[in-house]
Amino acid sequence: MLPQSNQLQDALLWAHLERVSLAWRSCLESAPVRGALDSLSSMLQTRLAQGAIIYPARPLRALDTLQPNAVKVVILGQDPYHGPGQAQGLAFSVPDGFKRPPSLRNILQEIEREYPTDPSELVLASNLLKNDLSPWVQQGVLLLNTCLTVEDGQPASHARAGWETVTDALISAVACDASPKVFMLWGAHAQAKRALISGQGDHLILMANHPSPLSARRPPTPFVGCDHFRLANDWLAQHNLQVIDWKA
């Protein structure tokens, strides 16, 4: 088997949980979530033993450096990228210098449309493949997929395996926090989570089509031209919170 830097090695999810704060772990203490984590660990162990290549190496990375009370914006994805070297444990993000996936390309183009770069500040061509969204996480953006593992070349292969129980608990915990937040729900899959958020606090819910080229320009609410990044910053500023530098 060829080694892959983003391949899962440790199937025991409780070991991954040791990396995240007690605040995140406390919201995963309910019996259904603990049962889902145990079941997922068993499934992952079995599939690895059978020779499956599973991404990413750190399924819970979105939680590693971000405390729940520091979350200002939540962007929901569906499942990790399923190609070698792509998945980082952060929704939509891939390593710098990597071929930019179509959805991420549309996301970054929308940011450029909303916040045009001054011609005098244009970066060198060698920097144009800056795809790692970790700087967003450092500013309080939770980049959470609703399914946190996937098998090589098989999109949605771990959907309905139990991850949704875990990530629903995380979404609910963030929504129940009192501080104002922005939730960006792109596409029907993410928008199905609206019920976990509505009525839970003073939050802004922004909805549009998924940024995939298949839907980004289609009605009813095209992603292209949605202004979500500027609307999010306007909301944060109105609530006396530091805005996000989306081009960091």
Side-chain angles (χ1 to χ4, degrees), residues 1-247:
M1 180 187 302
L2 294 175
Q4 306 293 350
S5 62
N6 66 328
Q7 181 181 345
L8 181 72
Q9 301 293 335
D10 190 346
L12 296 176
L13 297 175
W14 297 109
H16 290 272
L17 276 169
E18 292 298 320
R19 301 176 64 107
V20 308
S21 71
L22 288 172
W24 285 120
R25 280 183 266 168
S26 67
C27 78
L28 302 175
E29 288 297 315
S30 71
V33 176
R34 293 181 66 88
L37 288 168
D38 285 338
S39 177
L40 283 161
S41 292
S42 296
M43 180 272 290
L44 293 170
Q45 284 181 294
T46 298
R47 292 299 296 133
L48 287 173
Q50 292 171 343
I53 298 175
I54 298 172
Y55 309 125
R58 294 162 55 191
L60 301 174
R61 185 186 169 194
L63 314 179
D64 283 358
T65 59
L66 184 60
Q67 298 283 348
N69 61 2
V71 175
K72 294 188 288 187
V73 179
V74 179
I75 297 178
L76 291 181
Q78 190 160 350
D79 67 339
Y81 295 117
H82 54 271
Q86 292 180 300
Q88 295 183 296
L90 304 174
F92 296 107
S93 180
V94 297
D96 288 343
F98 219 81
K99 183 178 180 180
R100 186 171 291 170
S103 292
L104 179 58
R105 183 171 63 244
N106 281 337
I107 289 169
L108 297 179
Q109 286 177 348
E110 174 61 22
I111 291 170
E112 182 63 28
R113 188 194 68 80
E114 296 181 30
Y115 293 97
T117 301
D118 188 289
S120 65
E121 299 175 352
L122 288 175
V123 296
L124 296 174
S126 60
N127 292 329
L128 292 179
L129 287 182
K130 186 179 183 301
N131 305 316
D132 188 337
L133 304 182
S134 298
W136 293 6
V137 179
Q138 295 162 10
Q139 299 176 77
V141 181
L142 179 61
L143 297 169
L144 184 68
N145 283 313
T146 57
C147 180
L148 299 184
T149 54
V150 71
E151 297 189 17
D152 181 61
Q154 300 181 53
S157 48
H158 290 178
R160 295 175 294 280
W163 276 123
E164 291 80 3
T165 299
V166 178
T167 54
D168 279 2
L170 296 171
I171 295 166
S172 295
V174 173
C176 288
D177 184 77
S179 59
K181 296 173 181 60
V182 181
F183 289 82
M184 297 184 184
L185 308 182
W186 301 332
H189 183 85
Q191 289 163 17
K193 306 300 179 181
R194 184 177 184 178
L196 300 173
I197 305 162
S198 297
Q200 296 301 323
D202 184 18
H203 306 314
L204 175 64
I205 300 175
L206 299 173
M207 298 196 297
N209 287 2
H210 194 276
S212 163
L214 296 174
S215 58
R217 297 180 181 276
R218 294 184 177 180
T221 310
F223 175 82
V224 175
C226 67
D227 284 324
H228 280 189
F229 303 97
R230 187 172 292 279
L231 289 169
N233 275 347
D234 289 348
W235 171 267
L236 294 175
Q238 290 166 12
H239 290 78
N240 300 311
L241 295 169
Q242 181 65 42
V243 300
I244 307 298
D245 179 2
W246 297 111
K247 302 179 84 169

